[in-house]
Amino acid sequence: MAVRIGKRTILLKNKPSIIGYASIVGKKEHEGPIGDEFDDYDEDCRFGEKTFEKAESRLQTNTARLAIKKSGLKETDIDCIFAGDLLNQCIGSSFGLRELGIPFVGLYGACSTMALSMSMASIMLDGGGAKRAVALTSSHFCSAERQYRFPLEYGSQRTPTAQWTVTGAGAVVLGEGYELPCINAITIGEIEDYNITDANNMGAAMAPAAAATLKHYFSDTGTSPDDYDIIYTGDLGYVGTELLYELLEREKIDIRCRHNDCGMLIYDKEGQDVHAGGSGCGCSASVLCSFIMHRFESGDFNNILFVSTGALMSPTSTMQGESIPGIAHLVNIKKIDK
Amino acid sequence: MAVRIGKRTILLKNKPSIIGYASIVGKKEHEGPIGDEFDDYDEDCRFGEKTFEKAESRLQTNTARLAIKKSGLKETDIDCIFAGDLLNQCIGSSFGLRELGIPFVGLYGACSTMALSMSMASIMLDGGGAKRAVALTSSHFCSAERQYRFPLEYGSQRTPTAQWTVTGAGAVVLGEGYELPCINAITIGEIEDYNITDANNMGAAMAPAAAATLKHYFSDTGTSPDDYDIIYTGDLGYVGTELLYELLEREKIDIRCRHNDCGMLIYDKEGQDVHAGGSGCGCSASVLCSFIMHRFESGDFNNILFVSTGALMSPTSTMQGESIPGIAHLVNIKKIDK
């Protein structure tokens, strides 16, 4: 049985291991500072498809298949797949994963989806409901721009606080493993709304959620930032990260020396014209399933917090004058001798 | 520990009970044949809000609060809430539930969401990750028509196979209970695609998924339809139900005498001009949290299968020539002396 500690944190008993992972990205991500760490990339970001939405679906299919293959398993070995994306009705996942024939749990957590899908998969595995599961998510710059902002053909100008949606996907295979990083604890986030209304400043909308989830986790577990090798947030970018530091300092929590943000890692800020950094479900997913997992393999990391952050708005809610609620889910990934 | 039986079914060990439930609907649903069984309804379907989307959010807030109240609990007693809806980026749930301050798992299963949210909540409770959880979903005729078809002001004609999206929400509170119906087993569905492309014939798109999930469940558990008081599908309506019977007959499974569909129950087919029946996430959710639960209370039901069905398409996927994949998740609700 898992144990609930504090109000919001779940300490897993069986602690499913990450037995495989894969990441596939677009051209811009491949050209970025950690570009060599991804498993594969596509030169024109269409992944052989005719539309951007179909390209995103194909990206999910390919990433799921590659992660399963890299874990040494077959698709028929997987009991359940947990996925979602940013597209309306999550068609990136439903069309991307339909050919796999694996029981499917659809999730919507906006850019928090990677930590959410890993959390739900881990809970099912920990409780005995499955032996092996895949958790994944994706985003695509072109499908996201068309849906949330303007079609690329308009050539819109971007504001300084705007982030660049990552074209990328990351998938982990969870199961029983020996001497592999495992999911030790989970904190499911609450919806936080600080009344941010600027749809071009998602970092500010999501920072309060990341601060709240981290605060809850440290309080529930009685640990502090110093107990972890590093804390990765999903896609707060440069603007959201500064806000996160300020919000946590009010709670007397200092993470500055132990924190990085996947949205700041994935692009070269000066050279790639991405303004406030990367964003999208695929941002934290692809960085986890490359850069971060490689550092577990090399022994640099043994115990980290992975906090994906999402902005739970839609173009309709923004047009109706609504603010942008945020959410952040946390996964503690740890190497444990089992 | 839960036990996995067969390839797809999870038999729960602790079997969380339904310790509270509530349903709130619109005017048309209140005027239907089971209209008196819902807890509440709204005369103009706006629930005091200015837009249909905000009305749907308010419907979720009210239904979640009422279910918690009816279970004798406070909002602070709830460890986690599982919800989703049909709106782009699931804003019905994220805006509807943000004021509750409860850890939130966002799901997207289209009209299969009620069985999906109950499944995920049950798995978390069964594994010890939470003590009390809420599972809910909603749909709203006016927000769904605007998003999936045409704004109501256009006065579009409806095809004979079209279904009527239910304005309604249903919520269950799961926890430890004595002599109450509980969640005994779960089958997470696969994505099934029979190449249906008519967005006005959702029943046909979802029937293969319901057939597949039922077939898997009977095979995994070694049971037959006669072992259950009744089998409820979510919202196949009249067209989809006939297809479900035909597809199951090919597998030598006859459910005709033991089946009803929430989409056929909720409206008067002749008197309410709903063509092929009701649909939407709120259809199976509101029927479960009224008509079905009342029959558990009266002793008419002791052991049922509840199978919510979803069509995983979006207007964009349809415009890009895609077919409509379906999915169906199954929950076995049973009274057990624990």
Side-chain angles (χ1 to χ4, degrees), chain A:
Chain A
M1 290 282 284
V3 182
R4 200 162 180 97
I5 45 176
K7 175 71 185 153
R8 292 168 188 80
T9 300
I10 301 169
L11 190 67
L12 298 180
K13 192 192 166 207
N14 299 313
K15 304 186 194 303
S17 299
I18 300 176
I19 60 172
Y21 60 88
S23 59
I24 303 178
V25 296
K27 184 168 181 275
K28 189 180 184 88
E29 293 72 24
H30 171 69
E31 291 169 350
I34 62 166
D36 291 340
E37 306 221 24
F38 304 112
D39 287 299
D40 200 3
Y41 77 102
D42 192 71
E43 192 63 39
D44 71 357
C45 297
R46 288 179 182 266
F47 298 92
E49 299 287 346
K50 284 189 178 165
T51 70
F52 298 134
E53 289 76 15
K54 290 187 184 193
E56 186 170 345
S57 291
R58 182 58 54 198
L59 173 60
Q60 281 213 17
T61 322
N62 295 353
T63 310
R65 288 213 154 119
L66 185 58
I68 295 168
K69 190 180 161 197
K70 282 178 69 184
S71 67
L73 296 171
K74 296 189 298 287
E75 282 156 38
T76 48
D77 296 325
I78 307 298
D79 294 325
C80 199
I81 195 159
F82 296 75
D85 56 88
L86 288 173
L87 296 179
N88 295 344
Q89 288 72 54
C90 297
I91 55 170
S93 302
S94 52
F95 287 91
L97 305 173
R98 68 179 155 176
E99 61 192 64
L100 300 184
I102 300 171
F104 168 70
V105 173
L107 297 163
Y108 185 75
C111 306
S112 74
T113 303
M114 194 62 199
L116 181 62
S117 65
M118 290 171 75
S119 297
M120 289 298 112
S122 299
I123 285 169
M124 187 186 273
L125 264 67
D126 193 71
K131 279 205 156 37
R132 284 171 294 265
V134 171
L136 83 154
T137 187
S138 67
S139 53
H140 195 297
F141 175 75
C142 307
S143 61
E145 284 295 305
R146 169 146 80 182
Q147 182 179 281
Y148 285 100
R149 293 169 197 96
F150 300 100
L152 294 183
E153 292 79 357
Y154 287 17
S156 312
Q157 284 232 333
R158 301 164 61 78
T159 66
T161 55
Q163 293 174 242
W164 188 280
T165 305
V166 166
T167 299
V172 296
V173 184
L174 295 167
E176 257 185 77
Y178 184 67
E179 289 193 348
L180 290 171
C182 63
I183 313 302
N184 182 52
I186 286 159
T187 303
I188 301 295
E190 294 167 16
I191 304 167
E192 301 285 335
D193 196 331
Y194 269 45
N195 221 18
I196 304 286
T197 53
D198 179 359
N200 289 308
N201 193 354
M202 293 295 179
M206 299 188 292
T213 298
L214 280 163
K215 187 188 120 191
H216 290 317
Y217 176 81
F218 290 130
S219 155
D220 287 347
T221 56
T223 61
S224 75
D226 290 343
D227 293 316
Y228 302 92
D229 297 323
I230 191 158
I231 298 161
Y232 280 105
T233 44
D235 55 346
L236 296 178
Y238 296 94
V239 178
T241 292
E242 274 308 313
L243 279 169
L244 173 67
Y245 294 162
E246 285 176 31
L247 288 166
L248 283 175
E249 269 168 12
R250 288 187 206 168
E251 307 288 339
K252 306 207 184 332
I253 300 170
D254 181 6
I255 64 164
R256 282 177 196 265
C257 302
R258 300 246 165 218
H259 171 264
N260 210 329
D261 181 76
C262 300
M264 305 195 311
L265 261 169
I266 197 164
Y267 299 119
D268 175 357
K269 192 187 178 190
E270 306 307 323
Q272 288 192 295
D273 189 29
V274 293
H275 297 231
S279 69
C281 305
C283 179
S284 64
S286 62
V287 173
L288 173 72
C289 296
S290 60
F291 183 87
I292 297 176
M293 288 308 299
H294 292 160
R295 272 136 198 90
F296 269 104
E297 283 179 10
S298 65
D300 293 334
F301 293 165
N302 287 299
N303 189 11
I304 72 158
L305 300 181
F306 176 70
V307 191
S308 296
T309 45
L312 300 173
M313 44 68 75
S314 80
T316 303
S317 67
T318 303
M319 283 191 286
Q320 293 182 5
E322 274 289 4
S323 55
I324 303 172
I327 196 159
H329 303 296
L330 177 152
V331 178
N332 171 214
I333 307 175
K334 194 173 179 179
K335 254 190 189 167
I336 296 177
D337 286 329
K338 283 193 286 192

Side-chain angles (χ1 to χ4, degrees), chain B:
Chain B
M1 289 283 282
V3 182
R4 202 165 178 96
I5 47 176
K7 176 72 185 151
R8 291 167 188 82
T9 300
I10 301 169
L11 191 66
L12 299 181
K13 194 195 165 205
N14 298 315
K15 303 186 195 304
S17 301
I18 300 176
I19 59 172
Y21 60 90
S23 59
I24 303 178
V25 295
K27 184 167 180 274
K28 191 182 183 85
E29 293 70 25
H30 171 68
E31 290 168 351
I34 61 166
D36 291 340
E37 306 222 22
F38 304 113
D39 288 299
D40 200 2
Y41 77 103
D42 191 73
E43 191 64 39
D44 71 357
C45 297
R46 288 182 182 263
F47 298 91
E49 297 289 345
K50 282 188 179 168
T51 72
F52 297 134
E53 290 76 16
K54 290 187 184 194
E56 186 170 346
S57 291
R58 182 58 52 195
L59 172 60
Q60 282 212 16
T61 322
N62 295 353
T63 310
R65 290 212 153 122
L66 184 58
I68 295 168
K69 190 180 160 196
K70 282 177 70 184
S71 68
L73 297 171
K74 297 187 296 285
E75 282 155 38
T76 47
D77 296 325
I78 306 298
D79 293 325
C80 199
I81 195 160
F82 296 75
D85 56 88
L86 289 172
L87 296 180
N88 294 345
Q89 287 73 53
C90 297
I91 53 169
S93 302
S94 51
F95 286 92
L97 304 174
R98 70 179 152 172
E99 60 192 68
L100 300 185
I102 301 171
F104 168 70
V105 172
L107 298 161
Y108 185 76
C111 305
S112 74
T113 304
M114 194 61 202
L116 181 62
S117 65
M118 288 171 74
S119 297
M120 289 300 112
S122 300
I123 285 166
M124 187 185 273
L125 264 66
D126 194 68
K131 279 204 156 39
R132 284 170 294 264
V134 171
L136 84 154
T137 186
S138 67
S139 53
H140 195 296
F141 176 76
C142 306
S143 62
E145 284 295 305
R146 168 147 80 185
Q147 182 179 282
Y148 284 101
R149 294 171 196 96
F150 300 100
L152 296 183
E153 292 79 357
Y154 286 18
S156 313
Q157 284 231 333
R158 299 164 64 78
T159 66
T161 55
Q163 293 174 241
W164 189 280
T165 306
V166 166
T167 299
V172 295
V173 184
L174 296 167
E176 257 186 76
Y178 183 67
E179 288 192 346
L180 290 171
C182 64
I183 313 303
N184 182 53
I186 287 159
T187 304
I188 301 295
E190 293 169 15
I191 303 167
E192 301 285 335
D193 196 332
Y194 269 46
N195 221 18
I196 304 287
T197 52
D198 179 359
N200 289 306
N201 194 354
M202 292 294 176
M206 298 188 290
T213 298
L214 280 164
K215 188 188 120 191
H216 290 316
Y217 176 81
F218 290 129
S219 155
D220 286 347
T221 55
T223 61
S224 76
D226 290 343
D227 292 316
Y228 301 91
D229 297 322
I230 191 157
I231 298 160
Y232 279 104
T233 45
D235 55 345
L236 298 177
Y238 296 94
V239 177
T241 293
E242 273 310 313
L243 280 168
L244 172 67
Y245 294 161
E246 284 176 30
L247 289 166
L248 283 176
E249 268 167 11
R250 289 186 205 167
E251 308 288 339
K252 307 210 184 328
I253 299 169
D254 181 6
I255 63 163
R256 282 178 197 266
C257 302
R258 301 245 165 218
H259 171 263
N260 210 331
D261 182 75
C262 301
M264 305 196 309
L265 261 170
I266 197 165
Y267 299 120
D268 174 358
K269 192 188 179 190
E270 306 307 324
Q272 290 192 293
D273 190 29
V274 292
H275 298 229
S279 70
C281 305
C283 179
S284 64
S286 61
V287 173
L288 173 72
C289 297
S290 59
F291 182 87
I292 297 176
M293 288 307 299
H294 293 160
R295 271 138 198 86
F296 269 103
E297 283 181 10
S298 66
D300 292 336
F301 294 165
N302 287 298
N303 190 12
I304 74 159
L305 301 180
F306 176 71
V307 191
S308 296
T309 46
L312 299 173
M313 42 72 73
S314 81
T316 304
S317 67
T318 302
M319 283 192 287
Q320 294 183 5
E322 275 288 5
S323 56
I324 303 172
I327 196 158
H329 304 296
L330 178 151
V331 178
N332 172 213
I333 308 174
K334 195 174 178 179
K335 252 191 191 167
I336 295 176
D337 286 329
K338 284 194 282 191

